[in-house]
Amino acid sequence: MSEHRRKPSQPQGGGRAAARRAAQQRPGRGAGTGRDVPTPSPSGPYTEPSAHGGRAAGRRAAQRGSGGRGRSAGTAARGSGRPDKRLINYPRSDREGWKRFLPSWKLVSGTALGFFAIIIAGAGIGIAMVNEPDPNKAAKAQNNVFNWADGTQMVATGGSMNRQIVPISSIPRSMRDAVIAAENESFETDKGVDPMGIARAVWNMATGGSTQGGSTITQQYVKNTYLDSEQTLKRKVTELFIAIKLGTTVEKDTVLAGYLNTAYYGRDAYGIQAAARAYFGKDSKDLNPAECAFLASVLKGPNLYNPDGGIGAAATPQLNEERARKRWAWVLDREVEVGRMDKAERAKYTDKEFPARVESEQARGMTGQIGYLVDTAKAYVMKTKGITAEQMALGGYEITTTFKKEKVDALSKAVEDTRNGLIDEKKRPDTDTFVQFGAASVDAKTGALVALYGGPGWDHKYFSNNANTTGVPVGSTWKPYVLAAAMQYGTQNSNGRGITADSKYQANDLTVINNREGRPLRGKDGTPFKQKNESPTAYGYVTLNEAMEKSINVPFAQLVFDVGHDKVRKVAEATGLRPESMTPDNDASFALGTSTPSAIRMADSYATFAASGTHHEPFSVTKVEKDGEALPGFEPTKAERAMDNAIADNITKVLKNVVQNGTATKVKKLGRPAAGKTGTTDENKSAWFVGYTPELSTSVVLFRSDPNSADKALQSMKGVGDIPSIHGGDIPAEIWTEYMKEAVKGTPVTDFPEAEKIGVTADASGAPSPTPSAPPSPTPSPSMQPSNTPSGRPSSSKSGKPCKPWELYCEPDPTPTGSTSGGLIGGADGGPSGSPTSTGTGKPGRPGGSTTGTLTAPE
């Protein structure tokens, strides 16, 4: 018999009975590979077992089976269904492979029950620990104190309104119906919370998304008690617990009264009683359904629905009025829809019945320019710190502004004196009504807003701030940006090199303007577009300096195409003008001032030229304290390089010429160095003067618009003050001069930095080429005549003085030859006259600028 068929020997000491008992033991984990169990040899017969056996050996073998090292036996054991003695059988010991990680239904249900038990217990504890809100505390507001730049108090606002907490019996049924219909239709039946709304809000909070307020009236009431808290998940959970508690323990009328007594309605009014007094001059119990629907509409967001206007470009009185009327009508319709007003009652309230408001108590407390100053400073604080209008209205802020009282008074006096001497609405009602003035003055070295004129005053029911309004085209005050862009980036005729103001352009009236491809622009009728000037004078080709001096339109209408509209926008934005205030049209009119920046922005932008290309963002606040603690973030704005100082100084040189010899000669009465530009738009719908000294930059705008009209459309100012045509060099320049006399009185007379010569002379296509005159004889003699042989080096400058060999920018008097070739004029060495300035000189801006951020040409 072979070895492979031979039976293994029986273990000694046990016999067959011992073997049977060993076999009956439950095989443990790794039994097949235990030390006392035979294992197959890879190449031979089974190995012999241990010589010692018996019952003891069998028991030991069975016990070792559960901890043995055999893999196959272990797998068999897990699948045998043996229960695990662990508290939580996971991963599961009675499953194989991936099934070990599949939880049992017992584990899932147990975990879920445990989780909900913890949530319920936590919610119970949280609800038990939170307190109900106190409407008296929530409605309490403090003063906001505004100071002049020197720290003396300007005005204290807020805190003076009637904030009496009224019971539900003093709140008309119509007010309750309007709010429930608009805010929370299910208020009377819900439990104080909207689970889906809460889930969305919590998720957004936890993931850093946009914050959301409570969706029910109960939640909004709770939210009103936490206006001074941060938008955090912790606060949202606290609000949730309070809302649940109120929804289950407090009467609905009590909750509704609490909400209406703590909500913010605008006009610094917290609570229904304060709102009724602020808007309608009556107690809350006397409100009619139309007035109730109005107040319910304002609750949507007073900053955007208070017809007085709010903070931001989207919150003008006009836009707010439109929104408020639409919301008012919607609330009334909604009341009908949910069964809280019948159709017959609704039919009484047409658009003509939109409630009239009383004069704002805020307005009565802030006379003259104070309202506009406070509004401007408040907007700056809110934007800087992300404070809401509701939080600001609660008060407790002490705000030190940049406004200087003596300068504000001087600017107001200059405007009012001019108005009183010019405007006579009774004598000339057809022309002198609705004439509006706006002005702003900025420290050229820091960007601090030192004075503004916003209008007649809040106490005269004029709430629009004309110093910060947009929508009034700036006219020819835009032309310096076109010239600065040409100096910075060059034109199509300069091979990418910056040009000088001595470059010549056609200036005749009704000249055809070519696009960047050199083809004529087309008008609406398809014929070539011809640009019109203010006057029909046949100027011929003039330098850009002269074109700026006389404010001729045609040269700049062509120059903007030669430079590129995008380059002009880039320069204007670098000086502080906002892109949204610039017209998007790439037409000829863009160069002539169809954009609509505010007076504040124009004054700040021109301050960049005064500061040799250094720009500071305008600011109106230097210090803010909340409840006695200083808030960070109100340091003066940082200086940024907007353009090369040489370019800015050359723009100043050109604008000084406008004052000395051009359209702004009235400014010479100031008696010290000044630069600026006049601006007038089509049909005399606006007139501007923006100018500066080395110390201050000031803008003045004049326009005509009915503040009570639906569209606030601009009207022509022809005939205003019995003047046939209003121009920027007239009334605006006079106001500017009278103000600046007082504003700079007592300060040393300083001049602007001398402008170094820059760029190349690049005439427009079609300009006549100059014929250089002959150089003088090598042997100078008074009696000698110049040679008739032309030379590549010009012999005289425009002033008639001979050019020196090292004077690279010296140019000859151009003598037309009839040539129509454009391009560069020869310099002293017969090549391009000068070097490009697009990379900047590297000099610091004067005064006090930095060399960082210089714009460079992309070529």
Side-chain angles (χ1 to χ4, degrees):
M1 181 180 295
S2 68
E3 290 182 328
H4 296 289
R5 294 178 60 116
R6 186 173 53 200
K7 296 173 62 177
S9 59
Q10 297 295 325
Q12 297 179 6
R16 294 181 179 179
R20 280 197 304 270
R21 285 193 297 271
Q24 288 172 357
Q25 297 294 325
R26 183 164 44 206
R29 183 177 180 181
T33 57
R35 288 188 298 244
D36 296 326
V37 179
T39 57
S41 172
S43 60
Y46 293 100
T47 59
E48 296 296 326
S50 173
H52 301 283
R55 295 180 180 179
R59 284 196 299 271
R60 286 193 297 271
Q63 291 171 356
R64 286 194 299 267
S66 60
R69 294 187 293 271
R71 180 180 182 89
S72 59
T75 302
R78 285 194 297 270
S80 66
R82 179 189 176 191
D84 196 291
K85 294 183 179 181
R86 291 175 295 172
L87 180 63
I88 299 177
N89 184 21
Y90 192 83
R92 299 176 65 180
S93 63
D94 57 343
R95 291 290 186 270
E96 299 180 10
W98 62 268
K99 292 183 179 181
R100 296 181 60 210
F101 301 97
L102 186 65
S104 67
W105 68 269
K106 293 181 180 179
L107 180 61
V108 172
S109 59
T111 302
L113 288 174
F115 177 77
F116 283 113
I118 293 173
I119 292 295
I120 293 172
I125 295 172
I127 292 171
M129 292 180 63
V130 297
N131 297 318
E132 296 178 13
D134 184 348
N136 291 283
K137 293 181 179 179
K140 184 179 180 180
Q142 307 174 54
N143 282 334
N144 284 322
V145 178
F146 292 82
N147 298 326
W148 295 103
D150 61 4
T152 59
Q153 182 171 313
M154 178 194 302
V155 67
T157 68
S160 60
M161 300 294 293
N162 177 13
R163 286 176 170 82
Q164 176 185 352
I165 302 301
V166 295
I168 193 69
S169 58
S170 295
I171 302 174
R173 182 77 240 180
S174 57
M175 184 66 198
R176 290 177 260 171
D177 288 338
V179 171
I180 292 174
E183 302 285 338
N184 185 189
E185 176 188 352
S186 64
F187 168 71
E188 293 177 336
T189 59
D190 64 37
K191 298 301 181 182
V193 295
D194 176 5
M196 293 302 296
I198 290 295
R200 288 192 301 270
V202 171
W203 175 256
N204 285 345
M205 285 284 195
T207 59
S210 61
T211 59
Q212 295 182 353
S215 58
T216 67
I217 285 176
T218 306
Q219 289 173 259
Q220 293 182 58
Y221 170 39
V222 174
K223 175 178 176 289
N224 289 344
T225 67
Y226 289 90
L227 281 173
D228 57 346
S229 301
E230 297 180 356
Q231 293 281 352
T232 62
L233 181 60
K234 178 182 177 182
R235 199 212 72 181
K236 180 58 65 177
V237 171
T238 303
E239 287 181 7
L240 174 61
F241 288 158
I242 297 175
I244 294 174
K245 185 172 185 177
L246 292 180
T248 56
T249 63
V250 179
E251 294 291 332
K252 289 292 185 180
D253 280 352
T254 303
V255 173
L256 183 59
Y259 170 59
L260 295 176
N261 277 315
T262 57
Y264 180 62
Y265 297 79
R267 287 196 173 185
D268 275 356
Y270 273 90
I272 183 65
Q273 174 67 10
R277 300 298 306 175
Y279 285 100
F280 305 114
K282 60 175 68 173
D283 291 330
S284 60
K285 62 184 178 62
D286 298 323
L287 294 170
N288 63 42
E291 294 165 341
C292 290
F294 171 84
L295 293 179
S297 302
V298 172
L299 286 176
K300 176 72 174 177
N303 192 60
L304 295 177
Y305 289 87
N306 176 7
D308 298 341
I311 303 299
T316 64
Q318 175 187 352
L319 294 176
N320 280 19
E321 175 90 13
E322 294 174 359
R323 275 189 290 264
R325 286 180 176 271
K326 291 179 180 178
R327 179 74 177 176
W328 175 76
W330 179 86
V331 170
L332 292 170
D333 291 339
R334 180 68 176 163
E335 289 188 69
V336 175
E337 182 180 343
V338 301
R340 293 183 176 271
M341 178 183 286
D342 58 48
K343 293 183 179 179
E345 178 75 6
R346 170 66 181 91
K348 297 178 182 179
Y349 307 113
T350 63
D351 190 60
K352 293 181 180 179
E353 302 300 320
F354 187 70
R357 283 85 61 200
V358 300
E359 181 182 353
S360 170
E361 188 169 332
Q362 288 176 287
R364 291 195 294 270
M366 289 188 278
T367 60
Q369 298 305 302
I370 299 298
Y372 308 119
L373 302 179
V374 167
D375 197 44
T376 301
K378 185 189 298 184
Y380 186 82
V381 172
M382 291 168 62
K383 179 180 179 181
T384 301
K385 300 302 294 183
I387 299 171
T388 66
E390 291 87 345
Q391 290 171 322
M392 179 63 71
L394 281 175
Y397 295 92
E398 182 173 357
I399 300 168
T400 301
T401 72
T402 58
F403 300 115
K404 298 185 176 181
K405 188 176 188 303
E406 66 280 5
K407 288 181 171 57
V408 172
D409 291 343
L411 184 56
S412 180
K413 184 177 186 302
V415 173
E416 295 301 331
D417 286 351
T418 301
R419 173 189 282 277
N420 295 336
L422 173 73
I423 305 299
D424 192 335
E425 296 182 5
K426 294 182 179 180
K427 184 178 180 179
R428 295 180 293 272
D430 294 337
T431 59
D432 286 16
T433 54
F434 310 132
V435 178
Q436 309 292 335
F437 296 79
S441 188
V442 171
D443 187 315
K445 298 178 181 179
T446 66
L449 187 59
V450 297
L452 60 78
Y453 182 88
W458 286 14
D459 51 326
H460 288 80
K461 299 183 179 181
Y462 193 89
F463 297 99
S464 294
N465 184 353
N466 290 341
N468 198 34
T469 190
T470 58
V472 182
V474 296
S476 293
T477 58
W478 191 263
K479 291 173 181 175
Y481 304 117
V482 183
L483 180 57
M487 291 179 172
Q488 180 75 41
Y489 296 104
T491 68
Q492 295 186 125
N493 302 318
S494 70
N495 296 325
R497 300 176 179 181
I499 70 171
T500 74
D502 293 325
S503 302
K504 290 189 174 182
Y505 271 71
Q506 174 63 262
N508 286 340
D509 190 32
L510 298 176
T511 295
V512 173
I513 304 300
N514 295 325
N515 61 20
R516 288 187 65 81
E517 289 72 38
R519 294 191 294 270
L521 294 180
R522 297 291 173 177
K524 294 180 180 180
D525 58 358
T527 60
F529 170 76
K530 297 180 180 180
Q531 179 61 56
K532 183 173 177 57
N533 288 329
E534 177 72 14
S535 109
T537 303
Y539 295 104
Y541 280 85
V542 301
T543 65
L544 293 173
N545 184 57
E546 184 179 350
M548 189 77 75
E549 171 192 314
K550 295 180 171 63
S551 201
I552 309 172
N553 291 336
V554 168
F556 292 97
Q558 183 59 61
L559 181 62
V560 75
F561 283 95
D562 291 351
V563 176
H565 293 72
D566 59 327
K567 302 294 196 307
V568 178
R569 288 190 179 91
K570 186 178 294 186
V571 167
E573 185 176 354
T575 66
L577 300 186
R578 292 174 173 169
E580 59 267 25
S581 69
M582 304 179 202
T583 180
D585 300 326
N586 291 334
D587 54 16
S589 297
F590 174 76
L592 310 180
T594 53
S595 297
T596 59
S598 67
I600 291 175
R601 284 286 167 179
M602 286 299 290
D604 177 70
S605 176
Y606 270 48
T608 304
F609 300 135
S612 295
T614 300
H615 173 249
H616 293 80
E617 272 290 292
F619 65 101
S620 56
V621 174
T622 59
K623 182 180 179 182
V624 176
E625 292 185 354
K626 177 66 167 72
D627 299 328
E629 182 178 349
L631 301 183
F634 295 97
E635 302 78 15
T637 53
K638 295 180 180 179
E640 295 181 354
R641 170 61 60 190
M643 64 182 67
D644 190 89
N645 60 316
I647 294 175
D649 292 342
N650 271 272
I651 293 295
T652 294
K653 179 181 178 181
V654 172
L655 297 185
K656 284 178 66 177
N657 185 55
V658 172
V659 171
Q660 292 300 316
N661 306 302
T663 57
T665 54
K666 289 186 177 181
V667 173
K668 289 196 292 184
K669 292 187 296 183
L670 180 62
R672 62 170 66 204
K677 184 69 187 75
T678 58
T680 308
T681 58
D682 290 344
E683 298 298 322
N684 282 172
K685 291 184 177 180
S686 65
W688 289 76
F689 181 73
V690 187
Y692 52 93
T693 65
E695 299 80 21
L696 285 179
S697 177
T698 303
S699 63
V700 179
V701 59
L702 184 67
F703 60 97
R704 187 169 176 237
S705 174
D706 181 359
N708 299 315
S709 64
D711 57 1
K712 307 292 190 300
L714 296 177
Q715 303 176 25
S716 175
M717 291 188 294
K718 290 183 177 180
V720 169
D722 210 19
I723 300 174
S725 181
I726 299 291
H727 293 82
D730 297 327
I731 299 170
E734 287 189 3
I735 293 173
W736 187 94
T737 305
E738 292 306 309
Y739 160 69
M740 291 292 283
K741 283 181 179 179
E742 294 297 319
V744 299
K745 181 183 292 184
T747 62
V749 177
T750 58
D751 202 351
F752 299 102
E754 183 178 355
E756 62 183 77
K757 294 183 178 181
I758 61 171
V760 295
T761 302
D763 294 343
S765 298
S769 299
T771 301
S773 58
S777 170
T779 305
S781 173
S783 62
M784 291 185 65
Q785 298 297 323
S787 169
N788 293 327
T789 303
S791 171
R793 179 176 297 148
S795 62
S796 62
S797 69
K798 288 184 178 181
S799 61
K801 297 180 181 179
C803 291
K804 303 297 189 296
W806 59 83
E807 291 183 312
L808 297 179
Y809 299 96
C810 184
E811 302 170 11
D813 278 326
T815 303
T817 63
S819 171
T820 59
S821 63
L824 302 176
I825 302 301
D829 58 356
S833 60
S835 59
T837 62
S838 58
T839 57
T841 65
K843 294 184 179 180
R846 298 182 295 264
S850 66
T851 59
T852 60
T854 304
L855 293 173
T856 57
E859 290 81 6

